[in-house]
Amino acid sequence: WRSTPWNDQTRRSVAPDRITVNAGWSSSITFFSTRFATLTKESVPGIGRFLSFVGDSIPELGRHVLTLGVPVATEGRYRISLIPVLGPGQGMVQLLRDDQPHGAAVDTRSDSRRVGEAMVLGEMALEAGDVSLHLRITPSAPASRRAALDVVRVVLERVR
């Protein structure tokens, strides 16, 4: 078994109309809230590999943010979705654009822990190159201070 080298050739988009990134494994993590928060790569039988973010309090700026780098081959408008791990302790996630909410907030809470279907976060015009996707993570339950998000994949589909 050999690992794929991490370089510009292996990170390039080969199908510019659909870009799928395994969060934390084939994407760069360019920023995440560090105060009262953890970010780990996990692998769980029956679920697979995923990137796990947990924030345990309300940060100074009022929200937790996770920023993932995604290589985009062709400039254009893209529908941005994520495939989360659903579960009882999960939170809400929303795309940010210029530090403002963009698209609908998506609830990743569920009665059972399992990989969910692709959830659309919104559409954005993106330039070619390494694009930073900013995800705001907030608690699902109003009285909770725990904001959690487990991400399997991020999917960008070009909108024509």
Side-chain angles (χ1 to χ4, degrees), residues 70-142:
V70 178
V72 174
T74 308
E75 181 178 325
R77 187 155 188 84
Y78 288 86
R79 179 178 306 110
I80 301 165
S81 305
L82 67 87
I83 299 173
V85 176
L86 304 173
Q90 298 301 300
M92 304 278 290
V93 61
Q94 187 170 27
L95 202 55
L96 295 176
R97 179 80 186 227
D98 298 327
D99 207 28
Q100 297 299 313
H102 184 86
V106 173
D107 192 349
T108 62
R109 195 174 32 166
S110 173
D111 293 336
S112 62
R113 191 136 168 85
R114 60 185 164 72
V115 176
E117 298 294 320
M119 298 179 159
V120 177
L121 296 175
E123 291 183 6
M124 283 186 175
L126 302 175
E127 295 181 5
D130 281 337
V131 172
S132 294
L133 296 178
H134 307 283
L135 305 174
R136 176 173 69 174
I137 305 158
T138 56
S140 286

Side-chain angles (χ1 to χ4, degrees), residues 32-40 42 50-56 64-66 90 137 146-151:
F32 72 98
S33 304
T34 56
R35 188 172 172 131
F36 305 114
T38 59
L39 186 66
T40 57
E42 297 191 25
F50 58 91
L51 183 66
S52 180
F53 174 89
V54 178
D56 289 330
H64 287 287
V65 176
L66 170 64
Q90 298 301 300
I137 305 158
R146 184 178 191 273
L149 176 67
D150 294 341
V151 182

